[in-house]
Amino acid sequence: MKYKISHITIYDYADFASLSHNELFLTPRNTPEQKVLESTITLAPAPSVFSRHEDFFGNSVIATTVDKPHKNLQITALSQVFLNPTPEIRPEQTPPWEQVKDTVRKHQTQEDLDAFQYVFSSPMIPVSNRFVEWAKDFFIPGIPILQAGMGLMNKIYTDFKYDSQATTTATPVEKAFAIKKGVCQDFAHIGIACLRSLGLAARYVSGYLHTLPPPGKPKLICADASHAWLALYVPGSGWVGLDPTNNLVTGDQHLTLAWGRDYSDVTPVKGTVLGGGPHRLSVSVDVSMIGETS
């Protein structure tokens, strides 16, 4: 399946900004399931510096500098990707979660070693017994890891309310956990906090969600915005995406942009601006299947 993605970010400043430095995590990743066919990023005003590099996690990052006075900055990212998801994994056939914990801790293969870095706390995600207590009903001895992970995903989906006004991108995971409200970033962070607190490897994934609902049915949450979910490491199967916002195992609707330890590693646009005063931010995302009729 081919998809086209449009992601437009606009900053409107109250006064002229004289300088703007940004790192852009807006280029989709190539993965075993996803191939990037085309990706372009343009800025208005045009930047004096525009360079691409790969970060520690293998994400494509573009560094930009706009050094002329500007009252607004528009960043337009256009991409086309081909998605061919791997066959569905049967949860009951995955190894027991305690065995996975031990395998990752020993990290005797390159894949296990790569996963091991995602066991620890990160800038936005703590490890705490509080999360263990909340998740422990699903992680009883002998339970297959993916079955347990899906149970945790369902609990977040059931117990938390999606509320775009309840949190911001800087809200600590403990607060979202306490108020039982938030957005996809918060739900992914909470799921990761639970899994890492249990000694399992889980990473944060940013991306997009495509859905064309049946007539009369609503779109999935975050279908018209940037999205986030978590990926759980399952030895022998690799990384399995879990979307607690929609209670879905990721498949042919989830398009991967970048991944890291938490949101702070893959913020779509992050940087500094000199001058400009207060600003208004607007973001527009559109994802459609190439050849789609509606």
Side-chain angles (χ1 to χ4, degrees), residues 209-225:
L209 178 64
H210 173 267
T211 178
L212 189 62
K217 297 292 185 180
K219 282 191 172 186
L220 296 175
I221 297 173
C222 287
D224 296 308

Side-chain angles (χ1 to χ4, degrees), residues 38-278:
E38 185 179 313
S39 183
T40 61
I41 296 178
T42 57
L43 281 75
S48 58
V49 173
F50 187 96
S51 64
R52 188 185 299 269
H53 67 276
E54 195 171 277
D55 73 356
F56 176 80
F57 302 103
N59 302 304
S60 179
V61 187
I62 291 178
T64 69
T65 298
V66 175
D67 59 4
K68 63 184 71 173
H70 55 286
K71 288 199 73 173
N72 57 66
L73 174 65
Q74 178 168 323
I75 304 166
T76 302
L78 303 175
S79 303
Q80 290 188 16
V81 302
F82 179 78
L83 188 62
N84 184 28
T86 55
E88 186 177 333
I89 300 170
R90 298 187 66 174
E92 69 277 7
Q93 293 182 354
T94 55
W97 76 272
E98 329 84 302
Q99 179 183 317
V100 171
K101 176 181 177 180
D102 188 55
T103 298
V104 173
R105 187 188 297 115
K106 292 178 179 177
H107 48 79
Q108 295 177 333
T109 69
Q110 184 59 47
E111 292 78 12
D112 296 342
L113 178 60
D114 178 67
F116 187 55
Q117 66 185 310
Y118 296 101
V119 170
F120 306 98
S121 61
S122 59
M124 297 189 73
I125 302 178
V127 169
S128 168
N129 283 333
R130 180 183 186 187
F131 297 114
V132 174
E133 287 298 312
W134 193 73
K136 68 180 182 180
D137 288 349
F138 301 100
F139 292 85
I140 58 179
I143 292 294
I145 185 170
L146 186 52
Q147 188 174 318
M150 291 173 66
L152 173 64
M153 174 178 70
N154 179 259
K155 184 175 176 65
I156 296 171
Y157 175 77
T158 302
D159 289 6
F160 287 75
K161 178 183 178 182
Y162 187 90
D163 184 347
S164 61
Q165 304 301 312
T167 59
T168 70
T169 56
T171 298
V173 65
E174 297 94 336
K175 179 179 177 182
F177 184 76
I179 64 176
K180 296 292 187 289
K181 295 179 183 179
V183 294
C184 53
Q185 173 188 318
D186 303 299
F187 303 156
H189 278 176
I190 289 165
I192 293 169
C194 292
L195 293 166
R196 290 182 185 168
S197 296
L198 287 157
L200 299 168
R203 67 189 182 195
Y204 182 93
V205 186
S206 68
Y208 306 100
L209 178 64
H210 173 267
T211 178
L212 189 62
K217 297 292 185 180
K219 282 191 172 186
L220 296 175
I221 297 173
C222 287
D224 296 308
S226 55
H227 193 35
W229 57 93
L230 63 97
L232 171 64
Y233 180 64
V234 180
S237 299
W239 293 91
V240 180
L242 301 175
D243 178 359
T245 304
N246 293 293
N247 200 26
L248 290 173
V249 176
T250 62
D252 61 2
Q253 294 173 290
H254 291 76
L255 310 174
T256 299
L257 192 57
W259 61 60
R261 298 165 299 170
D262 57 41
Y263 174 79
S264 67
D265 283 333
V266 295
T267 307
V269 180
K270 57 182 175 180
T272 59
V273 61
L274 184 62

